Amino acid sequence: MKLLTANRANKLLYNFLKVNHITGNVLLPANICPDVVTTLHHAGLTTTFVDLQADNLCIHQETVLALAKQANLLLFVHTYGIEHDFYSFFEQVREQHPEIIIVDDKCLCLPDLDVKDSPADLVLYSTGEKKMVNLGGGAIGYLADKWQYDEVEVEENDLLTNELWLLDPKQLYLKMDAIIAHKEKLNTIYRALLPEAIQLPDAYQHWRFHILVPNQQQVIEALRAEGIPAEIPYPALDDACVVANNLHTYAIQLYNDKQLTQEQATRACEIILAFGKEV
């Protein structure tokens, strides 16, 4: 696979699509970042949103297999940075639909600088703002050798620019060690102080720490009132997608990066616990 870099993962994706004249319909999870959808539409593709699978919170696999004959591309997103390879699923899709293009979006995962092989055509990582490793910008991609790649000039906007970005592996690895250590300190606090019943499994807690509560808005407002950052996941881009909509309705993303101290993480837990049985 060829190592690629760009200022944003969306630019890597856009360049790949345009250089290889890829058109048609894309299957993608309903809770995807809206910027990705805009990029696909800007490149001339159409989109079909698929709900998530309840057991792994990634795109629903049976639905993908049923719809794949109507699509040219599958964009698979590792929800909340889940560190798991879905190669067997990719291979199943390929077995039934040999011509489909697969993009493995790992933008919320820890970047890997040594991807030698993948059943996906394009693997994406990001080091931009609010990602697992924040270098203030930049993206890394791995492209199967059969595909072409080049920079495509665009009319610049807030999403796509022609600015180049060069990978500095040393800076990336130095930051990764410190980031992982800090996240683990905060996650240890969250795991210890918050009820286990409201925590998502550990596989979803690397990028941010996720909890599910029935009174999401009140908890978010209480956290923000004390200057503690927390987010609500993206809404589903199709109202019929129940699992994606439930995450938007009940999930809270607690920060575990440098924006938050151990004292703030402890205070966040106190605020959440103050809601008592309501959480």
Side-chain angles (χ1 to χ4, degrees), residues 15 41 62 70 79 93 97 124 133 157 173 188 223 228 234:
N15 290 342
H41 291 171
E62 288 186 7
Q70 306 164 21
T79 299
V93 173
H97 306 279
L124 295 173
V133 177
N157 52 47
Y173 279 126
T188 298
L223 291 168
I228 297 173
Y234 291 123

Side-chain angles (χ1 to χ4, degrees), residues 129-134 178-179 182-184 186-187 190 206-209 229 254-262 264:
E129 298 288 342
K130 297 187 176 181
K131 297 302 191 292
M132 183 76 173
V133 177
N134 178 6
I179 286 168
H182 186 74
K183 284 179 176 291
E184 188 51 39
L186 298 195
N187 282 357
Y190 293 140
H206 302 295
W207 168 58
R208 288 182 184 160
F209 197 92
L254 300 171
Y255 279 51
N256 56 9
D257 57 19
K258 65 181 181 181
Q259 295 188 54
L260 214 68
T261 65
Q262 294 180 66
Q264 286 176 304

Side-chain angles (χ1 to χ4, degrees), residues 28-35 37 49 234-241 244-245:
L28 67 172
N31 66 337
I32 196 163
C33 169
D35 284 355
V37 180
F49 300 110
Y234 291 123
L237 296 172
D238 183 335
D239 290 339
C241 294
N245 270 312

